[in-house]
Amino acid sequence: MTSLLPAQQWTAFRIPVSETMSRGRLTEQFAHCSSGLVIAPPGFGKTALLAQAAKAHPGPVTWYQARPDADERELLTTLGYPADALAGSAGPPGAGRPARRRDAGDGGAVGRLVVIDDMHLFSAAARALVIRLGQLAPPHPRVLIGTRPAAGLSAAALEAAGATVVNADALRFRSWEVEHLFPHLYDTALRPGIALPLVRATGGRAATLRLFARAVAARPDTGQERILADGMFGREYLEREVLAPLPDRLGRFLTETCLLGRLTADACRALTGRTDSAEMLWSLAHEHGVLRADPDGRTYVAEPLLRECLRARLTGTLTDVELTRLRVRAAACAAAGDHDDRPDPQPSAVRRRLGSADWPDPLRIVVAGGPDIYLGRSVGRVAQEGSGSSAALLVQGIAAALTGDSTAGATVRRALAEATDDALVALSGQLVRVALAVLAGGPARPVPYPELQRIAYDAERLDLLWLSRAARCLLGLGPHPEDAGQPVVVLEECTRLGDAEGAALAASAVCLRSVRTGRPGIGELEDAVRRFRALGWGTLEAWGRAALAVVEVAHDLPDAGQRAAQAEAFARSAGVPGARALAMGAMALAAPDAGHRTELQEAAWSTARSARLPVAGLRSWLTALAAPAGQAPSAQAPTGPVGDYGAAAGRAKAGGQHAAASGRVLAARSAPGLTVRCLGGFEFILAGREHDWAKLRPRAQAVLRLLAVRAGQAVHRDHLLLAFWDGVTTPSTLHNLQVTVSSLRSFLEPERPRGGSRLIARQGDSYRLVLAPGDVSDVAEFERAVREGRRARAQKRSEEAADAFRIALDHYAGELLPEDGYAEWVAGDRERLRREAANSAVALAEIRLAQSRPVDAVEAAERCLEIDGHRDAAWRALIRACDAAGLAADSARARNGYSAMLASLGIPPSGGLSHPM
C-alpha cells in the first residue's frame, strides 16, 4: 500500500498520494490543535493538505474516507469506539457523548490522529458526531476533517468553539507560490508576468493550476498567454465538479447573472426579477462555495474561469439578439447597483497610477527623508488631505520609524484607526506595524507569518503590487522553507520591472535575512547601501552604512574603525539618531582602549535613549551583526544587554589593534542584577552577561522559562514533572529533574561553588527563581500592577486604579513566551495573563469614561481589542467613548466592527438569540 506516512505510522485506510508543494504555513496550524477543519469547494487541495498534516504527525494515524451510506454506529466502530457508545443517549441523533476509544492511549505522549476526508458525504447526524469527536479532550485522538461547504455546517461556529479552520481563501495559491510551484512540481517554467493573471483567472484553485500545466506541456508550441486566454484547459473540470452538482435553481440563477462582474442582491434582482436573490447569493457562497464574498458581506464574485464557463452555457441557450439584449440589461443593472458611497479601494490621498513599478509619491518622499517629514511637523505637500488624515499619520509614522523613534508604533496605530475605509493606507499601515514589531524585537523575533500572508494577498488582489512585493520580502524572514528565497525573488522581479525602490527594499530584506540566519554578508550590505545612495534615500543609507561598519569591524577589516567613524558622521548629518547609535556601537567595538570603549558604548545608548529608540532591540541587532559567521540568533537569546562582543565576533588577534580583552563588554549593566522578561519574548539578563543558550539542553531552557514566568514564587516539583516529564514520578524522573536544575545553576552562575547558587533556590519539594531587591520580572510587575488596580478600584480610588492599570498595560508587551508556541505548560498562564491584560484595559476605559475623558477611554478600549478582539465589553466601551468624544465616524466604524465580530461568531447583532454553541 502506497502511503505518505513514515514507517512508525499506520492506517486502516489507504491514504491518497498527491502531487503538491509543501504547505508548511497551513499544516503547522494543525500541529497542536485538538481538532481541525479544512473546508473548501472542489479542487482546492483539501485532501493533499490533510495528507501532508498526516505525514507530519509523529504518532499513529487513522485515515477514514467518508461514504454517503455510513451511519453513526458504523463510523464509531470503524474509528475504534465501542459500537454502543451512543446507547442510552436522548435527544436528536448523535446527541450522546461517545465513550473513550479502546486504543485512545496508543501512540505514547503524541497520541493518535484521525483524519476524516469528504465529511460532506455524511448525513447531518453523522457530521454532528464527527464534529463532537473533534471536541473531545485527550486522551481521545485529535481529529482533522476535510469537507466541502454544506448546509448546516458553520465554520465560524466551529472556529469559535476552538477548532482550527482552514478555508478556501487560505488554500488558494498566491502568484508567488505559483511561480515556485510550476518549475519545482510540474517541471514547467512560467513566462515572466503570467503568474498573476493565471491566479486571477483560476482563483488559485489547485486543480485548475494543474490542468493549465498539463495544457502547456501538451501544447508547447502554443503561447502560455493564448492557453490562458481561451480558458479551455479548465472548463470541463469546473463544469463537472463545480457546476453540475449544484441544485437546478442555483445553477440557473448563476447562469442568468454571469454577465454581472460583481454580484449584489439589488443588481441580480433587477436583472432576473427574483426576490430571493440575496438568499441565492448567500447559499452559493456559504453552502456551496461557488462564489466568494467580499468583506462587506454584500458583494460576491466568481473566479473569471468559472464565469467563462457560465457564459458559454448562456451562449448555448440564447440567440444572438437575446444575448445582446441581456448584456445591455446587465450593464444597466450593474451601473444602477454601483453606489457612489462605496469606499474607494485606492484613496486619492496617497494614490498614483498603480502600474507594476509605481509607488505613491508621499511614500517616495518620506522614505527618501524629505526635510519636512518628521514626527510632530506638518507633512504639508506630502498628503493633501491635511496633517490629521490617516495618510498623513501613516507618513509621519514611517518617518519616525526610519529615524528610530519608538513612538512610531503609536502613530501608525492612529493611522490604522482612521483608515477603516482606506485600503491602501490600511494595508500599508498594517505592513509597517508588522515591520516595526519585527525590527524592535531583534533578529530572533518571530515573524507574524499569517498576517503577512494576508497583507500580501489582499494587496495583490487590489492591484497594489508594490505593496504585495514588500510584504513578500518580510515573508522571507519567516520560518518556512518555501518562502526563504522570497527576498531574492522579489529583488529579481523588481529589477526586471524597473522598480528601483522595490529592488532597494528587497536588497535590504536580503540583508535582514542573512543577519537573522547568522550569516551577515559584507557584499549584500554594500549592495543595499549603493542602491539607497542611487535613490537618494539618505535615511536608509545611514542605517546601511552603520550596519556595514559593525560587520566590517567584526571581520577585522583594515580601517574598519575609520569607516565606523565615517558612518557615525553620515548618520549625524542625515539626522538619523538610531543609525548614529548603531555606528557608535561599531566604533566601540573597534576601540583599542577599554576606557574609550566604555565611553563610546555609554554615548551610543544615551543617543538611542534620547531618540526614544528601543535600546534592547538595538543591542540585539548589534549582537547579531557582530556574531561569528553561521551563528543564528537564538530564539531564547536575550535581546537586552549583551556580553563580550570581542569574543562573540571572534576577532582576537594577538598584538593587533583589535586584540580581544576581557573588559570588552559593550553593554554591561551599571550594577549586577537580574532582569527577566517573558511577555512578548524571553529575555534573561544577569549582571549584564549574555548567555550562550546553545550550550544548555532544550529541556533545561524550558524549565528556566517556566521558573521565570513564576519568578519569586515556589514551583512544586510535581508541576515541573507534569510539564516536562508527563507527570511521571519515579526515581529516574526525580533524578532527571535534579540534574536539570543543577545544570541550570552551573550554567547561570559558573563562578559559584556547587550548592552555592543564590539564583535558583530549593524549598522542600519546590524550586524558586529568586528575585533580589532591585531585580526585575515583567510578569511579577504586571501582576502586581493588576492587583493594585483592582484594589484601588474596589476602594473607589479611581485615579490610582487608572495609573495601576496603565502600568500593567505598559508591562504587557505581548503574549507570554511566544517562542514556546502551543506548549501545554505555558498555555494556561498565557491565556490567564492575556485575560488579565484585556480586563485591565477594559477597566481603564470604563474609569476614563466615568471621568469624562473619552479620548483616553478610546485608547484603552482599542488596546483591549488589540489583545482580545472578541471582548464584548471593550466594543461597547469603545462605542460609548467615541459617542462621548463626538467622533461620529469612529463610532460608526466601531459599531460596524462590533457587528462584524458578532457575525463572525454566528451571533446576531441584536443579541436576541442564544449563542449557537
Side-chain angles (χ1 to χ4, degrees):
M1 178 176 63
T2 304
S3 172
L4 286 177
L5 302 179
Q8 70 269 24
Q9 295 176 315
W10 62 270
T11 174
F13 294 84
R14 180 184 178 90
I15 295 179
V17 179
S18 59
E19 295 181 324
T20 187
M21 64 180 286
S22 172
R23 311 298 298 272
R25 66 181 177 86
L26 299 177
T27 55
E28 72 172 5
Q29 300 181 44
F30 297 136
H32 302 284
C33 68
S34 60
S35 65
L37 178 71
V38 184
I39 179 169
F44 274 87
K46 300 182 293 298
T47 301
L49 181 66
L50 292 173
Q52 288 188 19
K55 180 179 179 181
H57 184 67
V61 174
T62 296
W63 185 285
Y64 183 87
Q65 182 66 46
R67 301 194 318 275
D69 57 346
D71 59 14
E72 302 98 299
R73 186 173 301 277
E74 176 189 335
L75 177 62
L76 288 171
T77 304
T78 305
L79 296 181
Y81 288 91
D84 58 350
L86 296 178
S89 63
R97 182 179 180 84
R100 176 177 171 177
R101 269 182 60 123
R102 292 188 296 271
D103 61 348
D106 63 2
V110 175
R112 179 175 303 285
L113 173 68
V114 173
V115 182
I116 301 175
D117 196 16
D118 287 336
M119 190 186 71
H120 57 277
L121 298 177
F122 282 145
S123 65
R127 286 204 302 265
L129 174 60
V130 170
I131 292 171
R132 216 165 54 256
L133 289 175
Q135 294 172 341
L136 298 180
H140 288 276
R142 293 169 48 221
V143 177
L144 295 185
I145 301 166
T147 180
R148 297 181 184 180
L153 182 61
S154 173
L158 288 173
E159 193 168 16
T164 298
V165 177
V166 172
N167 58 18
D169 274 339
L171 286 169
R172 296 177 197 277
F173 280 91
R174 281 51 168 161
S175 65
W176 58 94
E177 293 176 325
V178 168
E179 290 176 344
H180 176 82
L181 174 72
F182 271 67
H184 287 81
L185 190 62
Y186 301 144
D187 197 24
T188 300
L190 288 175
R191 292 180 59 84
I194 199 174
L196 182 57
L198 176 60
V199 167
R200 287 176 173 164
T202 62
R205 193 186 297 252
T208 45
L209 291 173
R210 184 182 296 109
L211 291 171
F212 179 79
R214 292 179 181 175
V216 170
R219 300 157 59 188
D221 296 332
T222 305
Q224 294 181 6
E225 292 84 355
R226 183 175 177 183
I227 295 175
L228 178 60
D230 67 35
M232 295 301 298
F233 63 90
R235 289 187 185 177
E236 181 182 350
Y237 174 84
L238 294 175
E239 182 72 40
R240 181 182 69 250
E241 297 292 334
V242 178
L243 298 178
L246 289 176
D248 289 342
R249 64 186 189 89
L250 291 178
R252 287 195 304 271
F253 175 81
L254 201 58
T255 304
E256 292 169 357
T257 58
C258 67
L259 295 178
L260 297 171
R262 304 180 68 81
L263 305 175
T264 63
D266 291 340
C268 292
R269 187 182 306 113
L271 181 63
T272 65
R274 299 189 64 103
T275 58
D276 57 350
S277 294
E279 292 79 4
M280 291 280 203
L281 291 171
W282 191 93
S283 178
L284 285 166
H286 299 284
E287 293 184 345
H288 298 276
V290 177
L291 300 178
R292 180 160 53 91
D294 276 359
D296 61 9
R298 295 179 288 106
T299 308
Y300 301 82
V301 293
E303 60 197 58
L305 196 61
L306 181 63
R307 200 161 59 241
E308 289 302 318
C309 291
L310 294 168
R311 289 176 178 175
R313 270 188 175 189
L314 191 65
T315 303
T317 58
L318 299 179
T319 65
D320 292 343
V321 175
E322 291 173 332
L323 188 59
T324 301
R325 290 175 179 172
L326 185 60
R327 282 175 176 158
V328 172
R329 287 181 56 199
C333 294
D338 190 11
H339 301 294
D340 293 334
D341 59 351
R342 289 178 58 188
D344 184 1
Q346 300 158 5
S348 58
V350 290
R351 182 176 57 189
R352 279 174 51 90
R353 182 178 58 85
L354 295 173
S356 60
D358 281 340
W359 280 40
D361 282 336
L363 294 184
R364 274 200 173 99
I365 294 173
V366 69
V367 174
D372 59 345
I373 307 302
Y374 291 97
L375 186 66
R377 300 185 186 180
S378 171
V379 295
R381 66 177 183 274
V382 174
Q384 292 79 21
E385 291 188 0
S387 59
S389 69
S390 58
L393 288 172
L394 177 61
V395 167
Q396 291 182 16
I398 296 174
L402 291 173
T403 62
D405 194 329
S406 62
T407 62
T411 307
V412 172
R413 283 198 299 271
R414 287 177 56 200
L416 286 173
E418 294 289 333
T420 304
D421 297 330
D422 196 332
L424 175 56
V425 174
L427 287 173
S428 302
Q430 291 163 15
L431 183 61
V432 171
R433 182 180 60 186
V434 170
L436 287 176
V438 171
L439 294 173
R445 174 80 178 220
V447 173
Y449 195 83
E451 185 172 2
L452 281 173
Q453 278 278 353
R454 181 188 54 77
I455 294 171
Y457 177 60
D458 288 347
E460 185 175 84
R461 184 166 53 85
L462 293 173
D463 277 339
L464 305 174
L465 303 184
W466 58 271
L467 183 59
S468 178
R469 288 195 289 270
R472 287 164 54 194
C473 285
L474 288 181
L475 280 176
L477 307 181
H480 299 295
E482 58 261 34
D483 288 319
Q486 278 299 313
V488 175
V489 171
V490 173
L491 177 57
E492 295 172 351
E493 185 178 338
C494 291
T495 302
R496 174 171 54 84
L497 294 171
D499 183 1
E501 291 97 341
L505 288 187
S508 62
V510 171
C511 296
L512 286 176
R513 178 162 182 83
S514 69
V515 175
R516 289 173 67 95
T517 56
R519 295 183 296 274
I522 293 178
E524 294 167 345
L525 284 165
E526 288 177 339
D527 177 58
V529 170
R530 281 196 299 269
R531 292 177 184 275
F532 296 150
R533 186 181 302 120
L535 289 168
W537 287 3
T539 302
L540 288 179
E541 183 182 352
W543 281 105
R545 293 179 62 158
L548 179 59
V550 177
V551 177
E552 288 179 335
V553 171
H555 283 74
D556 198 23
L557 296 185
D559 301 325
Q562 180 180 354
R563 280 193 292 275
Q566 292 171 350
E568 186 275 334
F570 184 90
R572 181 168 12 100
S573 63
V576 190
R580 185 187 176 200
L582 184 61
M584 294 170 73
M587 294 169 61
L589 282 174
D593 176 70
H596 189 206
R597 186 164 53 249
T598 302
E599 180 181 347
L600 282 171
Q601 72 184 33
E602 291 300 328
W605 306 144
S606 175
T607 300
R609 283 190 291 269
S610 65
R612 293 178 290 189
L613 180 72
V615 177
L618 180 67
R619 285 169 170 163
S620 64
W621 283 107
L622 185 54
T623 303
L625 287 165
Q631 179 178 315
S634 169
Q636 283 89 26
T639 57
V642 291
D644 191 339
Y645 280 88
R651 298 186 290 104
K653 187 171 77 172
Q657 178 185 11
H658 307 297
S662 60
R664 188 175 296 179
V665 181
L666 185 62
R669 289 160 56 98
S670 58
L674 172 66
T675 298
V676 56
R677 304 190 188 281
C678 301
L679 295 170
F682 184 63
E683 299 179 16
F684 194 94
I685 307 163
L686 179 61
R689 288 201 307 268
E690 180 188 20
H691 297 91
D692 185 1
W693 299 102
K695 296 180 179 178
L696 196 61
R697 292 181 179 274
R699 179 175 286 175
Q701 297 180 34
V703 169
L704 176 61
R705 293 197 295 275
L706 191 152
L707 294 175
V709 171
R710 310 287 180 86
Q713 305 175 30
V715 181
H716 198 275
R717 71 182 186 188
D718 289 347
H719 186 78
L720 295 171
L721 291 173
L722 179 64
F724 305 113
W725 283 273
D726 299 325
V728 178
T729 305
T730 64
S732 175
T733 56
L734 289 174
H735 175 71
N736 288 339
L737 173 59
Q738 293 166 0
V739 170
T740 299
V741 174
S742 177
S743 67
L744 272 176
R745 289 168 170 164
S746 301
F747 176 79
L748 296 174
E749 299 175 287
E751 71 282 356
R752 290 186 175 268
R754 183 179 178 86
S757 173
R758 73 161 187 86
L759 195 61
I760 300 180
R762 180 170 179 175
Q763 299 173 328
D765 290 336
S766 300
Y767 296 93
R768 178 168 60 94
L769 183 64
V770 178
L771 289 179
D775 290 347
V776 176
S777 165
D778 61 345
V779 173
E781 295 292 339
F782 169 77
E783 292 182 322
R784 182 182 300 113
V786 170
R787 289 195 300 270
E788 291 175 356
R790 290 173 178 169
R791 185 183 307 113
R793 194 181 189 194
Q795 296 172 357
K796 308 300 183 183
R797 294 181 283 116
S798 299
E799 192 57 40
E800 294 179 23
D803 290 342
F805 288 135
R806 170 54 61 193
I807 292 173
L809 293 173
D810 289 341
H811 283 294
Y812 192 79
E815 68 175 20
L816 183 70
L817 297 178
E819 51 271 82
D820 281 289
Y822 297 96
E824 292 185 8
W825 63 267
V826 76
D829 285 325
R830 179 184 293 159
E831 177 59 25
R832 174 178 59 83
L833 295 177
R834 186 183 69 86
R835 188 167 54 248
E836 289 182 353
N839 289 338
S840 298
V842 168
L844 179 60
E846 292 173 346
I847 291 172
R848 294 312 189 197
L849 273 173
Q851 293 175 336
S852 299
R853 296 170 59 178
V855 176
D856 293 337
V858 168
E859 179 183 357
E862 289 177 340
R863 180 67 196 282
C864 177
L865 294 175
E866 289 178 5
I867 299 170
D868 182 359
H870 293 84
R871 186 59 62 103
D872 189 89
W875 283 108
R876 295 178 183 272
L878 177 61
I879 293 170
R880 296 204 315 271
C882 290
D883 290 340
L887 304 174
D890 292 320
S891 177
R893 281 194 290 267
R895 294 176 193 276
N896 291 338
Y898 185 30
S899 297
M901 184 273 291
L902 293 175
S904 70
L905 299 178
I907 304 173
S910 65
L913 297 178
S914 60
H915 192 282
M917 298 306 294

